[in-house]
Amino acid sequence: MTHKLGKVYKWLVLDHPRSVIAGMLIVAVWAGWNAPSFRLDASADTLVLEHDSALDYFREVNARYSTNEFLVIAYRPEQDLFSDAVLADLTRLRDQLKQVDGVESVVTILDVPLLKTAGGPVAELDSNLQRLENPETDRQKAREELTTSPLFRDLLISAHGSTTALQINLSRDETYFELLTARETLREQARVNTPGTNLQNELAQAEDRFRLYKEQTADQLHDRIATVRAIMAPYRDNAEIYLGGVPMIADDMITFVRNDIMAFGIGVLLFIVATLTLIFRRLRWVLLPLATCGYTGLFMFGLLGFFDWPGTVISANFISLLMIITLSLTVHLIVRYREHHTQFPHAEQRELVEVATSKMGKPSLFTALTTIAAFTSLVVSDIRPVIDFGWTMTLGISAAFVISFLLFPATLMLMDVRQAPASSGGAEQLTGWFARVTDHHRQAILWGTIATFLLCGVGISRLKVENSFINYFKPSTEIYQGMKLIDQTLGGTTPLDVVIRFQDAQQQAAQEEAVESEGDDSWGSDDWGDGSSASWGDESTEPAENRDKYWFTREKMARIGEVHRYLESFPEVGKVLSLTTMMRIAESFNNGEPLGNLQLALLYSRIPDEFRTVVIDPYASVAANEARLTLRVRDSDHNLRRNELLQKLRAGMQSELGLQPDEYEFTSMLVLYNNMLQSLFRSQILTLGLVLVGIMLMFLVLFRSLPVALVAIVPNLLSAATVLGVMGWLQIPLDMMTITIAAIAIGIAVDNTIHYIHRFRVEFPKDRNYLAAMYRCHGSIGRAMYYTSLTITVGFSILVLSNFLPTIYFGLLTGMAMIVALVGDLALLPALFLLFKPLGPEGPAEQEPTAI
């Protein structure tokens, strides 16, 4: 079978290269037509577990409390915040933002109701509300109220009154949620029951409708954010002004990734061109690898665009990895071609191409298969972007192998044979040095490897799983500075919700108590009215449907207050908002005294509607018999460990506050993203071991020798352990981007290992001398390994210039993985061969060399 395939391959590629090129050009046209359809997706769906029950609860809470997405502008003027000029600028800025399409409202210090500044009894607040924008408002009193208000301080204004926030509330897109609900309903039906043809068709249509609409809304959001930034631009002359908010972070992440793909793709390309030119000094050996890499990238973009398979923050790096793998395949072919040409200067082109492809076919196929096996560790994840990354790399590596062995030899067949190449002294000197070090210091290499594994083990134990969005960006970037300003002066950046559930029996008893005690409570302060409940009307005669006010009882407020104060006690927690915020404001009207049940009921009845939507509706659901507390985590706190914080908060809710697990729930994107990271970390640690076992089994199949397989696995372990260990020692957190680097490191190390062992098994039978075989391997395949590693490491070093730290980490860690893989396969691997002799004892040379 293999012989027949070989004959077909030679007939097609070597005898009809023009037909191959023509066919590939047709495919290239198809790919180019579909490539523009490739897109990047940074929606919330790409940052959470695919079947996380917490996601359903998060959506339920958002729907119940009508939570809308919002943007935040942090504004720190050069002049006094309450001066005429600054307030005039704020007014113009607010009014301009209100005109932006998709903006529902803009909340600023100008238009929030000022209760204490207005003065007078609560009963008259509705007709006596004052705002900072009103000419008659006393600005000094307004400053004092805003900077001391439990509601507005650290939310709309900093404690020192130097920085303010403009909250831009985006309109709730009901169509989006209707399509989402329809899709999730059909998904649940498909999970519960065996889906029939009708259900499958309905689900497919629902998926398409939701996807298309989500793409449309994502584009609209991007344009909206760009419009807001354009409006902000003129105000930078007189103030520090930054944009923040979760929608902006997600949109900017994709923008950074997209820009990096374009800008640094060109930079990496130029670096690779320069390196290949220095190595090979022939134009064809520069253009052929680039053409192969470019064709592979175009084909994959076209394929993903054709199947509408979006890229994410994770899978956006697939093109860089494919460049590594494709370049490695072509460089090995070039080196083998040049090596044979040097030995036989008068050989015909067909012979040279045939030798290169036949000798490198098997090891290249095996490296492709084992690299695919490494990336399959990502497919078992529950995170859709990680699963997509695994499948994308599987398809990409398969395409890279096929394209390299079609385009490269077919193009070369159309070229003339040039003068035999001169040897590359630099590569021979380095690989020769590795051979001599291995020859004379094999014991030291072994002990050094053991020490490295021990150090890496300690480093791996120090790894942390984190999800700090602010640390994705360099401190010099505008997005970092804006997030830090909001984080430190306006109450934090990352939202977290805590929902407190009350028992039905407790609710009924409390309401009955409230009704019975209605005639016994008095206000205790004329600020609330005339001192008698009669002035408020006979509340007990109201119909049952109007008695939501009796839900607000002292017992509930006390419980909420306990939780509120507990959350505030954590230094990582910034602004906390809940019904306790309303209580603190109300108590200030009651001489600091707690309110009774009747006072709470009357407060609920008499509070102005405008204020009710701010201090009550977002924090209580009478129908669900629950209360909601919202807090924001200080993302820039260097001591912040989000998973540990959530664990401490949950534990304290039970041990310190006496709540049962079913009486409270944490939710928000922070919880969902943390769930995803913890799941990814656990799954990757487990599946990484399975992948190593799988690669070990593949080595057994390929090499048909347990000793060789055991020796081969060691450099791969070293590569993965070193990358993870260095991350631990340098405190580089594991996140959606960096957690995949272990699979990448193994995939890179596997390539070099298989190529080296394949060549060693060819060279060793010539004289059955391990040392001589090692020197020959270093002088042949070692040069190809060196060229590949040098080219990729130098090329990817340009990624350190990115402003997006995950891109920087990816470039540095990939380069380090290449270097470790090279050292492991040129020093450790041959040292293990020399020490343990896995191919059997030395002896007389065989007649014919064995192969895999």
Side-chain angles (χ1 to χ4, degrees), residues 16-85:
H16 301 86
R18 288 183 174 83
S19 299
V20 172
I21 298 298
M24 297 191 74
L25 286 176
I26 294 173
V27 175
V29 171
W30 170 85
W33 180 265
N34 289 284
S37 299
F38 175 77
R39 57 192 173 84
L40 293 174
D41 185 1
S43 63
D45 291 349
T46 67
L47 302 176
V48 299
L49 291 173
E50 192 165 32
H51 303 300
D52 191 357
S53 59
L55 177 59
D56 296 331
Y57 185 71
F58 171 71
R59 290 168 174 164
E60 176 186 333
V61 170
N62 279 355
R64 183 176 301 149
Y65 293 96
S66 299
T67 302
N68 291 1
E69 289 188 323
F70 61 88
L71 300 169
V72 176
I73 293 179
Y75 188 91
R76 177 183 284 174
E78 296 176 355
Q79 302 181 43
D80 181 71
L81 180 59
F82 290 82
S83 65
D84 290 339

Coordinates of all heavy atoms in Angstrom, one line a residue, residues 16-85:
H16 N 4.3 15.5 -13.1 CA 3.3 16.5 -13.5 C 3.2 17.7 -12.6 O 2.2 18.0 -12.0 CB 1.9 15.9 -13.6 CG 1.8 14.7 -14.6 ND1 2.1 13.4 -14.2 CD2 1.5 14.7 -15.9 CE1 2.0 12.6 -15.3 NE2 1.6 13.4 -16.3
P17 N 4.3 18.3 -12.3 CA 4.4 19.4 -11.4 C 3.5 20.6 -11.8 O 2.9 21.3 -10.9 CB 5.8 19.8 -11.3 CG 6.4 19.4 -12.6 CD 5.7 18.1 -13.0
R18 N 3.4 20.9 -13.1 CA 2.5 22.0 -13.5 C 1.1 21.8 -13.2 O 0.3 22.7 -12.9 CB 2.7 22.2 -15.0 CG 4.1 22.8 -15.4 CD 4.2 23.1 -16.9 NE 5.4 23.8 -17.2 CZ 6.6 23.2 -17.4 NH1 6.6 21.9 -17.3 NH2 7.7 23.9 -17.7
S19 N 0.6 20.5 -13.3 CA -0.8 20.2 -13.0 C -1.0 20.4 -11.5 O -2.1 20.9 -11.1 CB -1.1 18.7 -13.4 OG -0.9 18.5 -14.8
V20 N 0.0 20.0 -10.7 CA -0.1 20.3 -9.2 C -0.2 21.7 -8.9 O -1.1 22.2 -8.1 CB 1.1 19.6 -8.5 CG1 1.0 20.0 -7.0 CG2 1.0 18.1 -8.6
I21 N 0.7 22.5 -9.5 CA 0.6 24.0 -9.3 C -0.7 24.6 -9.8 O -1.3 25.4 -9.1 CB 1.8 24.7 -10.0 CG1 3.2 24.1 -9.5 CG2 1.7 26.2 -9.9 CD1 3.4 24.4 -8.1
A22 N -1.2 24.1 -10.9 CA -2.5 24.7 -11.4 C -3.6 24.3 -10.5 O -4.5 25.2 -10.2 CB -2.8 24.1 -12.8
G23 N -3.6 23.1 -10.0 CA -4.7 22.7 -9.0 C -4.6 23.5 -7.7 O -5.6 24.0 -7.2
M24 N -3.4 23.8 -7.3 CA -3.2 24.5 -6.1 C -3.6 26.0 -6.2 O -4.0 26.7 -5.3 CB -1.8 24.4 -5.5 CG -1.4 22.9 -5.2 SD 0.1 22.8 -4.3 CE -0.3 23.4 -2.6
L25 N -3.3 26.5 -7.4 CA -3.8 27.9 -7.7 C -5.3 28.0 -7.7 O -5.8 29.0 -7.2 CB -3.2 28.3 -9.1 CG -1.7 28.6 -9.2 CD1 -1.3 28.9 -10.6 CD2 -1.4 29.8 -8.3
I26 N -6.0 27.0 -8.2 CA -7.4 27.0 -8.1 C -7.9 27.0 -6.7 O -8.8 27.8 -6.3 CB -8.0 25.8 -8.9 CG1 -7.7 25.9 -10.4 CG2 -9.5 25.7 -8.7 CD1 -8.1 24.7 -11.2
V27 N -7.3 26.2 -5.9 CA -7.6 26.1 -4.4 C -7.3 27.5 -3.8 O -8.0 28.0 -2.9 CB -6.9 25.0 -3.7 CG1 -7.1 25.0 -2.2 CG2 -7.3 23.6 -4.3
A28 N -6.2 28.1 -4.2 CA -5.8 29.4 -3.6 C -6.8 30.5 -3.9 O -7.1 31.3 -3.1 CB -4.4 29.8 -4.1
V29 N -7.4 30.4 -5.1 CA -8.4 31.4 -5.5 C -9.7 31.2 -4.6 O -10.3 32.1 -4.1 CB -8.8 31.2 -7.0 CG1 -10.0 32.1 -7.3 CG2 -7.6 31.7 -7.9
W30 N -10.0 29.9 -4.5 CA -11.2 29.6 -3.6 C -10.9 30.1 -2.2 O -11.8 30.7 -1.5 CB -11.4 28.1 -3.6 CG -12.4 27.6 -2.5 CD1 -13.8 27.6 -2.6 CD2 -12.1 27.1 -1.2 NE1 -14.3 27.1 -1.5 CE2 -13.3 26.8 -0.6 CE3 -10.9 26.9 -0.6 CZ2 -13.4 26.3 0.7 CZ3 -10.9 26.4 0.7 CH2 -12.2 26.1 1.4
A31 N -9.7 29.8 -1.6 CA -9.4 30.2 -0.3 C -9.4 31.8 -0.2 O -9.8 32.3 0.8 CB -8.0 29.7 0.1
G32 N -8.8 32.4 -1.2 CA -8.8 33.9 -1.2 C -10.2 34.5 -1.2 O -10.4 35.5 -0.6
W33 N -11.1 33.8 -1.9 CA -12.5 34.3 -1.9 C -13.1 34.2 -0.6 O -13.9 35.1 -0.2 CB -13.2 33.5 -3.0 CG -14.7 33.9 -3.1 CD1 -15.7 33.3 -2.5 CD2 -15.2 35.0 -3.9 NE1 -16.9 34.0 -2.8 CE2 -16.6 35.0 -3.7 CE3 -14.6 35.9 -4.8 CZ2 -17.4 35.9 -4.3 CZ3 -15.4 36.8 -5.4 CH2 -16.8 36.8 -5.2
N34 N -12.8 33.1 0.2 CA -13.5 32.9 1.5 C -12.7 33.5 2.7 O -13.3 33.6 3.7 CB -13.7 31.4 1.7 CG -14.7 30.8 0.8 OD1 -15.9 31.0 1.0 ND2 -14.3 30.1 -0.3
A35 N -11.4 33.8 2.5 CA -10.6 34.3 3.6 C -11.2 35.5 4.3 O -11.2 35.7 5.5 CB -9.2 34.5 3.1
P36 N -11.8 36.5 3.5 CA -12.3 37.7 4.2 C -13.5 37.4 5.1 O -13.8 38.2 6.0 CB -12.8 38.6 3.0 CG -11.9 38.2 1.8 CD -11.7 36.7 2.0
S37 N -14.1 36.2 5.0 CA -15.2 35.8 5.9 C -14.7 35.4 7.2 O -15.5 35.2 8.2 CB -16.0 34.7 5.2 OG -16.6 35.1 4.0
F38 N -13.4 35.2 7.4 CA -12.8 34.8 8.7 C -13.0 36.0 9.6 O -12.7 37.1 9.3 CB -11.4 34.4 8.6 CG -10.7 34.1 9.9 CD1 -10.9 32.9 10.5 CD2 -9.9 35.0 10.5 CE1 -10.3 32.6 11.8 CE2 -9.3 34.8 11.7 CZ -9.5 33.6 12.3
R39 N -13.4 35.7 10.8 CA -13.6 36.7 11.8 C -13.1 36.3 13.2 O -12.9 35.1 13.5 CB -15.1 37.0 11.9 CG -16.0 35.8 12.3 CD -17.5 36.0 12.1 NE -18.2 34.8 12.2 CZ -18.5 34.3 13.4 NH1 -18.3 35.0 14.5 NH2 -19.2 33.1 13.5
L40 N -13.0 37.3 14.1 CA -12.6 37.1 15.4 C -13.8 37.4 16.3 O -14.6 38.3 16.1 CB -11.4 38.0 15.8 CG -10.1 37.7 15.1 CD1 -9.1 38.8 15.5 CD2 -9.6 36.4 15.5
D41 N -13.9 36.6 17.4 CA -15.1 36.7 18.3 C -14.6 36.8 19.7 O -13.8 36.0 20.2 CB -16.0 35.4 18.1 CG -17.2 35.5 19.0 OD1 -17.5 36.5 19.6 OD2 -18.0 34.5 19.0
A42 N -15.0 37.9 20.4 CA -14.6 38.1 21.8 C -15.8 38.3 22.7 O -15.8 38.9 23.7 CB -13.7 39.4 21.9
S43 N -16.9 37.7 22.3 CA -18.2 37.8 23.0 C -18.0 37.0 24.3 O -17.1 36.2 24.5 CB -19.4 37.3 22.2 OG -19.2 35.9 21.9
A44 N -19.0 37.1 25.2 CA -19.0 36.4 26.5 C -19.0 34.9 26.3 O -18.4 34.2 27.1 CB -20.1 36.9 27.4
D45 N -19.6 34.4 25.2 CA -19.7 33.0 25.0 C -18.3 32.4 24.8 O -18.1 31.2 25.1 CB -20.5 32.7 23.7 CG -21.9 33.0 23.8 OD1 -22.3 33.3 25.0 OD2 -22.6 33.1 22.8
T46 N -17.3 33.2 24.4 CA -15.9 32.7 24.2 C -15.1 32.6 25.5 O -14.0 32.2 25.5 CB -15.2 33.5 23.1 OG1 -14.9 34.8 23.6 CG2 -16.0 33.6 21.9
L47 N -15.7 33.1 26.6 CA -14.9 33.3 27.8 C -15.4 32.4 28.9 O -15.0 32.6 30.1 CB -14.9 34.7 28.3 CG -14.3 35.8 27.3 CD1 -14.4 37.2 27.8 CD2 -12.8 35.5 27.0
V48 N -16.4 31.5 28.6 CA -17.0 30.7 29.7 C -17.1 29.3 29.3 O -16.9 28.9 28.1 CB -18.4 31.2 30.0 CG1 -18.4 32.7 30.4 CG2 -19.3 31.1 28.7
L49 N -17.4 28.4 30.3 CA -17.6 27.0 30.0 C -18.8 26.8 29.2 O -19.8 27.5 29.3 CB -17.7 26.2 31.3 CG -16.5 26.1 32.2 CD1 -16.9 25.5 33.5 CD2 -15.4 25.3 31.5
E50 N -18.7 25.8 28.3 CA -19.8 25.7 27.3 C -21.1 25.2 28.0 O -22.2 25.6 27.6 CB -19.4 24.7 26.2 CG -20.4 24.6 25.1 CD -19.8 23.9 23.9 OE1 -19.0 23.0 24.1 OE2 -20.1 24.3 22.8
H51 N -21.0 24.4 29.1 CA -22.2 23.9 29.7 C -22.2 24.2 31.2 O -22.6 23.4 32.1 CB -22.3 22.4 29.6 CG -22.3 21.9 28.1 ND1 -23.3 22.3 27.2 CD2 -21.4 21.1 27.5 CE1 -23.0 21.7 26.1 NE2 -21.9 21.0 26.2
D52 N -21.7 25.4 31.5 CA -21.7 25.9 32.9 C -23.0 26.3 33.4 O -23.7 27.2 32.8 CB -20.7 27.1 33.0 CG -20.3 27.4 34.5 OD1 -20.9 26.8 35.4 OD2 -19.5 28.3 34.7
S53 N -23.5 25.6 34.5 CA -24.8 26.0 35.0 C -24.8 27.4 35.6 O -25.9 28.1 35.6 CB -25.2 25.0 36.1 OG -24.3 25.0 37.2
A54 N -23.7 27.9 36.0 CA -23.6 29.3 36.5 C -23.9 30.3 35.4 O -24.3 31.4 35.7 CB -22.2 29.5 37.0
L55 N -23.7 29.9 34.1 CA -24.0 30.8 33.0 C -25.5 31.0 32.9 O -26.0 32.1 32.7 CB -23.4 30.3 31.7 CG -23.7 31.1 30.4 CD1 -23.2 32.5 30.5 CD2 -23.2 30.4 29.2
D56 N -26.3 29.9 33.1 CA -27.7 30.1 33.0 C -28.2 30.9 34.2 O -29.1 31.8 34.0 CB -28.4 28.7 33.1 CG -28.0 27.8 31.9 OD1 -27.8 28.3 30.9 OD2 -28.0 26.6 32.1
Y57 N -27.6 30.8 35.4 CA -28.0 31.6 36.5 C -27.7 33.1 36.3 O -28.4 34.0 36.6 CB -27.4 31.1 37.8 CG -27.9 31.8 39.0 CD1 -29.2 31.6 39.5 CD2 -27.0 32.6 39.7 CE1 -29.6 32.3 40.6 CE2 -27.5 33.3 40.8 CZ -28.8 33.1 41.3 OH -29.2 33.8 42.4
F58 N -26.5 33.3 35.7 CA -26.1 34.6 35.4 C -27.1 35.3 34.5 O -27.4 36.5 34.7 CB -24.7 34.6 34.8 CG -24.2 35.9 34.2 CD1 -23.8 36.9 35.0 CD2 -24.1 36.1 32.8 CE1 -23.3 38.1 34.5 CE2 -23.6 37.3 32.3 CZ -23.2 38.3 33.2
R59 N -27.5 34.6 33.4 CA -28.5 35.2 32.5 C -29.8 35.4 33.2 O -30.5 36.4 32.9 CB -28.6 34.3 31.3 CG -27.4 34.3 30.4 CD -27.4 33.2 29.4 NE -26.3 33.3 28.4 CZ -25.9 32.3 27.6 NH1 -26.6 31.1 27.6 NH2 -24.9 32.4 26.8
E60 N -30.2 34.5 34.1 CA -31.4 34.7 34.8 C -31.4 35.9 35.7 O -32.4 36.7 35.7 CB -31.7 33.4 35.7 CG -32.9 33.4 36.5 CD -33.0 32.2 37.5 OE1 -32.4 31.2 37.1 OE2 -33.6 32.4 38.5
V61 N -30.3 36.1 36.4 CA -30.2 37.3 37.3 C -30.2 38.6 36.5 O -30.9 39.6 36.8 CB -29.0 37.2 38.2 CG1 -28.7 38.5 38.9 CG2 -29.1 36.0 39.2
N62 N -29.5 38.6 35.4 CA -29.5 39.8 34.5 C -30.9 40.1 34.0 O -31.3 41.3 33.9 CB -28.5 39.6 33.3 CG -27.1 39.8 33.7 OD1 -26.8 40.2 34.9 ND2 -26.2 39.5 32.8
A63 N -31.6 39.1 33.6 CA -33.0 39.3 33.1 C -33.9 39.8 34.3 O -34.7 40.7 34.1 CB -33.6 38.1 32.5
R64 N -33.8 39.2 35.5 CA -34.6 39.6 36.6 C -34.4 41.0 37.0 O -35.4 41.8 37.4 CB -34.4 38.7 37.7 CG -35.3 38.9 39.0 CD -35.0 37.9 40.0 NE -35.2 36.5 39.5 CZ -34.5 35.4 39.9 NH1 -33.6 35.5 40.8 NH2 -34.8 34.3 39.4
Y65 N -33.2 41.5 37.0 CA -32.9 42.8 37.5 C -32.7 43.8 36.3 O -32.2 44.9 36.5 CB -31.7 42.8 38.4 CG -31.9 42.1 39.7 CD1 -31.6 40.8 39.8 CD2 -32.5 42.7 40.7 CE1 -31.8 40.1 41.0 CE2 -32.8 42.0 41.9 CZ -32.4 40.7 42.0 OH -32.7 40.0 43.2
S66 N -33.0 43.4 35.1 CA -32.9 44.2 33.9 C -31.5 44.9 33.8 O -31.4 46.1 33.6 CB -34.0 45.3 33.9 OG -35.2 44.7 33.9
T67 N -30.5 44.1 34.0 CA -29.1 44.6 34.0 C -28.7 44.9 32.6 O -28.7 43.9 31.7 CB -28.2 43.6 34.7 OG1 -28.6 43.4 36.0 CG2 -26.8 44.2 34.7
N68 N -28.2 46.1 32.3 CA -27.8 46.4 31.0 C -26.2 46.6 31.0 O -25.6 46.8 32.0 CB -28.4 47.7 30.5 CG -29.8 47.6 30.2 OD1 -30.4 46.6 30.4 ND2 -30.4 48.7 29.8
E69 N -25.6 46.4 29.8 CA -24.2 46.6 29.7 C -24.0 48.1 29.7 O -24.9 48.9 29.3 CB -23.6 46.1 28.4 CG -23.6 44.5 28.4 CD -22.8 44.0 27.2 OE1 -23.0 44.6 26.1 OE2 -22.1 43.0 27.3
F70 N -22.8 48.6 30.2 CA -22.5 50.0 30.2 C -21.0 50.2 30.0 O -20.2 49.4 30.3 CB -23.0 50.6 31.6 CG -22.3 50.0 32.8 CD1 -21.1 50.5 33.3 CD2 -22.9 49.0 33.5 CE1 -20.5 50.0 34.4 CE2 -22.3 48.4 34.6 CZ -21.1 48.9 35.0
L71 N -20.8 51.4 29.6 CA -19.4 51.9 29.5 C -19.2 53.0 30.6 O -20.2 53.6 31.0 CB -19.1 52.5 28.1 CG -19.3 51.6 26.9 CD1 -19.3 52.4 25.6 CD2 -18.2 50.6 26.9
V72 N -17.9 53.2 30.9 CA -17.6 54.2 32.0 C -16.5 55.1 31.4 O -15.5 54.6 30.9 CB -17.2 53.5 33.3 CG1 -16.7 54.6 34.3 CG2 -18.3 52.7 33.9
I73 N -16.7 56.4 31.6 CA -15.7 57.4 31.3 C -15.2 58.0 32.6 O -16.0 58.5 33.4 CB -16.2 58.5 30.4 CG1 -16.6 58.0 29.0 CG2 -15.2 59.6 30.2 CD1 -17.2 59.0 28.1
A74 N -13.9 57.8 32.8 CA -13.3 58.4 34.0 C -12.8 59.8 33.5 O -12.0 59.9 32.5 CB -12.1 57.6 34.5
Y75 N -13.1 60.8 34.3 CA -12.8 62.2 33.9 C -12.2 62.9 35.1 O -12.8 63.1 36.1 CB -14.2 62.9 33.5 CG -14.0 64.3 32.9 CD1 -13.9 64.4 31.5 CD2 -14.0 65.4 33.7 CE1 -13.8 65.7 31.0 CE2 -13.9 66.7 33.1 CZ -13.8 66.8 31.8 OH -13.7 68.1 31.2
R76 N -10.9 63.3 34.9 CA -10.2 64.1 35.9 C -9.7 65.4 35.3 O -8.7 65.4 34.6 CB -9.0 63.2 36.4 CG -8.1 64.0 37.4 CD -6.9 63.2 37.8 NE -7.3 62.1 38.8 CZ -6.4 61.2 39.2 NH1 -5.2 61.2 38.7 NH2 -6.8 60.2 40.0
P77 N -10.4 66.5 35.6 CA -10.1 67.8 35.0 C -8.9 68.4 35.7 O -8.5 68.1 36.8 CB -11.3 68.6 35.2 CG -11.9 68.0 36.5 CD -11.6 66.6 36.5
E78 N -8.2 69.3 34.9 CA -7.1 70.1 35.5 C -7.6 71.1 36.5 O -7.0 71.4 37.5 CB -6.4 70.8 34.3 CG -5.7 69.8 33.4 CD -5.0 70.5 32.2 OE1 -5.2 71.8 32.1 OE2 -4.4 69.9 31.4
Q79 N -8.8 71.7 36.2 CA -9.4 72.7 37.2 C -10.3 71.9 38.2 O -10.4 70.7 38.2 CB -10.2 73.7 36.4 CG -9.4 74.5 35.3 CD -10.3 75.5 34.6 OE1 -11.1 76.2 35.3 NE2 -10.2 75.5 33.3
D80 N -10.8 72.7 39.1 CA -11.7 72.2 40.1 C -12.9 71.5 39.4 O -13.5 72.1 38.5 CB -12.2 73.3 41.1 CG -13.1 72.7 42.2 OD1 -12.6 72.0 43.0 OD2 -14.3 73.0 42.1
L81 N -13.3 70.3 39.9 CA -14.4 69.6 39.3 C -15.7 70.4 39.3 O -16.5 70.2 38.4 CB -14.6 68.2 40.0 CG -15.7 67.3 39.5 CD1 -15.4 67.0 38.0 CD2 -15.7 66.1 40.3
F82 N -15.9 71.2 40.3 CA -17.2 71.9 40.5 C -17.1 73.3 39.9 O -18.0 74.1 40.2 CB -17.6 71.9 41.9 CG -18.0 70.5 42.4 CD1 -17.1 69.6 42.8 CD2 -19.4 70.2 42.4 CE1 -17.4 68.4 43.3 CE2 -19.7 68.9 42.9 CZ -18.8 68.0 43.3
S83 N -16.1 73.7 39.2 CA -16.0 75.0 38.6 C -16.9 75.1 37.4 O -17.4 74.1 36.8 CB -14.5 75.3 38.2 OG -14.2 74.4 37.1
D84 N -17.2 76.4 37.0 CA -18.2 76.6 35.9 C -17.7 76.0 34.6 O -18.4 75.3 33.9 CB -18.3 78.1 35.7 CG -19.1 78.8 36.9 OD1 -19.8 78.0 37.6 OD2 -19.0 80.0 37.1
A85 N -16.4 76.1 34.3 CA -15.8 75.6 33.1 C -15.9 74.1 33.0 O -16.3 73.6 32.0 CB -14.4 76.1 32.9

